[in-house]
């Protein structure tokens, strides 16, 4: 079975070393999967080329796309779709 991991990745300009370290921990488990592909949506300060080079040093192959963080929609019980940035009404 082929596994496709789709992830937003945000590397901050003021702490890229820390963020890359945390990303390496999070993505480390992907290296154990025999048949996988990783699709990253680059939302941070690294260029796609810099991110690609970093992924190569981690032994992770994948596809890099540019993206923007538009938030997530969540479904509340009996309330339909909610915007997580707005306060929840009871």
């Amino acid at each position: 079975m082929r596994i496709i991991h789709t992830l937003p990745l945000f590397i901050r300009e003021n702490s890229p070393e820390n963020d890359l370290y945390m990303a390496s921990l999070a993505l480390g488990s992907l290296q154990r999967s025999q048949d996988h592909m990783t699709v990253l949506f680059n939302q941070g300060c690294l260029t796609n080329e810099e991110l690609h080079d970093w992924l190569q040093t981690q032994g992770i192959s994948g596809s890099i796309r540019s993206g923007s963080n538009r938030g997530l929609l969540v479904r509340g019980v009996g309330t339909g779709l909610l915007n997580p940035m707005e306060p929840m009404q009871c």
Side-chain angles (χ1 to χ4, degrees):
M1 170 184 266
R2 186 160 177 87
I3 299 171
I4 299 175
H5 305 279
T6 306
L7 307 164
L9 185 65
F10 185 79
I11 304 299
R12 297 172 292 177
E13 192 171 334
N14 63 345
S15 64
E17 297 84 11
N18 290 335
D19 291 349
L20 287 171
Y21 174 72
M22 288 191 302
S24 69
L25 294 176
L27 297 173
S29 65
L30 303 182
Q31 297 177 31
R32 291 183 237 141
S33 178
Q34 294 295 324
D35 191 16
H36 77 278
M37 177 175 185
T38 304
V39 179
L40 295 175
F41 288 89
N42 186 8
Q43 300 178 351
C45 70
L46 297 181
T47 65
N48 286 356
E49 183 176 311
E50 290 170 327
L51 186 54
H52 177 267
D53 292 345
W54 177 79
L55 285 174
Q56 293 293 314
T57 67
Q58 301 299 305
I60 298 173
S61 62
S63 177
I64 300 170
R65 306 279 188 241
S66 295
S68 61
N69 188 348
R70 297 181 187 258
L72 300 173
L73 291 177
V74 294
R75 184 172 295 278
V77 177
T79 61
L81 294 177
L82 301 173
N83 180 342
M85 302 308 284
E86 295 176 6
M88 192 168 166
Q89 308 243 339
C90 297

